[in-house]
Amino acid sequence: MHALSKYIAKRLLWTLPTLLIVAVMVFFLVRMIPGDPAQLILGDSASPDELASLRANLGLDRPVAVQFLYWLGNVLRGDLGHSISNGAPVLPMMLDRFQVSATIVLVAVALATLIAVPAGLVAAWRQNEHVDVAIVAASTLLMSVPSFWLGLVLLLVFGLKLGWLPVVGYVPFTEKPWTAITYVILPVVTLMLIEVGVLTRMMRASAIEILRLEYVMHARAKGLSERKVLLRHVLPNAFAPTWTMIGLVLGGLLGGIAVLETVFTLPGLGRLLVDAIFARDYPVVQGCLLFTALIYVIVNLIVDLCYPLFDPRVTAS
């Protein structure tokens, strides 16, 4: 129990410097985006006095270090500022958009896991046989397909050609649940197919290593059926590396879904970030990047904290 508490405390402490480094990088990298927000808001016809006045109102005339400390203090109080474009508070805007992104990513990763884990287990069990070759080939193909290209193909086939699903738009689940489902089917399927390949390969590689261990051979020698050997002995131990990959995939998708949201015209967090970059909306860009990094860190922290459930040996290190 002491080792587990030490492991948890260590992981929690590591998140603090990570988030601080991310905050510094986010702030200063955003300042490297070409363009002047004041010029973008007022237009090319604005006078120097008008530009200077607006920069002062936005706090852009202060030294960069002062701007960072002021921004960081507000962030620690839960205030991410207001959008330069429309004056709306950044945090509520992001949370509203994040619901769309999180729904699609969570459902896609859950479905991908349900397909990839048994597929990888079967492929490892039948290594070098026809079933294994077919699963590996399909996984490799899915891994090599760009998400935006697959999304466009699904839109063309099921949206334009067959007319089964809507092509563009989004309906909130709180308004029309069944209609909302039809708008997210294609994005979910696109992400699911892409990530199935990655998780299947990981599960297969882990299961192959476990199948070669002595305790598996001992279980077979005791007369246990292949089904019990796979479910009782192979699956729990082989799932640990796959669980880590699921965390990386989940955090990566939440941070990198902007392309897919653009393809399917979804009002998610990624689309908000893209629009804010084009508008040189510093508070929104900073808020989206920091929020995305925070989600990534939290997801991987949860994965690390759950890892002892699959492999208790990690608490001994």
Side-chain angles (χ1 to χ4, degrees):
M1 191 66 182
H2 175 71
L4 180 60
S5 301
K6 184 178 179 181
Y7 173 81
I8 293 175
K10 182 179 179 181
R11 289 297 182 270
L12 290 173
L13 288 175
W14 268 110
T15 60
L16 298 179
T18 301
L19 291 176
L20 179 60
I21 293 172
V22 168
V24 173
M25 293 181 62
V26 164
F27 183 86
F28 287 98
L29 286 176
V30 168
R31 290 302 185 277
M32 296 174 63
I33 298 177
D36 182 2
Q39 186 76 61
L40 193 66
I41 293 173
L42 297 178
D44 296 334
S45 60
S47 65
D49 292 338
E50 292 174 333
L51 292 174
S53 175
L54 183 56
R55 290 192 189 101
N57 292 333
L58 297 175
L60 299 177
D61 60 333
R62 304 172 182 173
V64 177
V66 175
Q67 294 182 41
F68 171 74
L69 294 176
Y70 181 78
W71 173 73
L72 184 61
N74 289 335
V75 168
L76 294 176
R77 292 193 295 269
D79 181 13
L80 297 179
H82 291 72
S83 170
I84 294 177
S85 302
N86 53 32
V90 174
L91 184 58
M93 185 192 314
M94 287 194 317
L95 294 177
D96 183 58
R97 296 291 193 98
F98 180 69
Q99 295 178 9
V100 180
S101 303
T103 299
I104 295 171
V105 169
L106 290 174
V107 173
V109 172
L111 293 176
T113 303
L114 292 175
I115 296 173
V117 170
L121 194 61
V122 170
W125 179 45
R126 296 298 187 185
Q127 186 181 6
N128 298 327
E129 297 183 8
H130 294 299
V131 174
D132 178 35
V133 173
I135 292 176
V136 171
S139 301
T140 304
L141 178 64
L142 290 174
M143 290 173 59
S144 61
V145 176
S147 59
F148 71 90
W149 183 86
L150 181 58
L152 290 174
V153 170
L154 294 178
L155 278 176
L156 178 63
V157 175
F158 296 99
L160 296 179
K161 297 293 184 181
L162 299 178
W164 292 354
L165 296 168
V167 177
V168 296
Y170 177 78
V171 175
F173 283 87
T174 54
E175 296 181 5
K176 298 179 180 179
W178 292 109
T179 304
I181 291 176
T182 62
Y183 280 94
V184 300
I185 287 177
L186 290 181
V188 166
V189 171
T190 301
L191 285 182
M192 180 196 71
L193 291 176
I194 296 296
E195 301 309 326
V196 159
V198 177
L199 297 179
T200 300
R201 293 293 297 268
M202 175 59 73
M203 186 65 193
R204 176 183 178 274
S206 302
I208 288 176
E209 292 183 5
I210 299 299
L211 284 168
R212 294 171 178 170
L213 298 180
E214 291 184 2
Y215 77 89
V216 175
M217 293 185 289
H218 180 68
R220 286 171 171 167
K222 289 171 60 178
L224 291 180
S225 64
E226 285 296 303
R227 179 174 177 272
K228 290 183 178 180
V229 170
L230 291 175
L231 296 181
R232 291 183 183 180
H233 298 284
V234 178
L235 177 60
N237 294 284
F239 186 69
T242 307
W243 173 250
T244 302
M245 180 60 68
I246 290 172
L248 294 174
V249 165
L250 187 60
L253 287 179
L254 287 171
I257 197 177
V259 174
L260 206 62
E261 289 177 350
T262 302
V263 171
F264 290 100
T265 63
L266 297 172
L269 186 64
R271 184 73 179 276
L272 176 64
L273 175 60
V274 172
D275 293 341
I277 291 175
F278 282 114
R280 309 297 190 273
D281 198 333
Y282 286 171
V284 176
V285 175
Q286 291 169 172
C288 289
L289 292 177
L290 185 64
F291 184 76
T292 301
L294 176 63
I295 293 299
Y296 193 90
V297 170
I298 290 176
V299 168
N300 284 278
L301 176 63
I302 293 173
V303 170
D304 286 343
L305 296 181
C306 292
Y307 207 92
L309 299 176
F310 306 109
D311 189 358
R313 294 173 298 176
V314 299
T315 58
S317 58

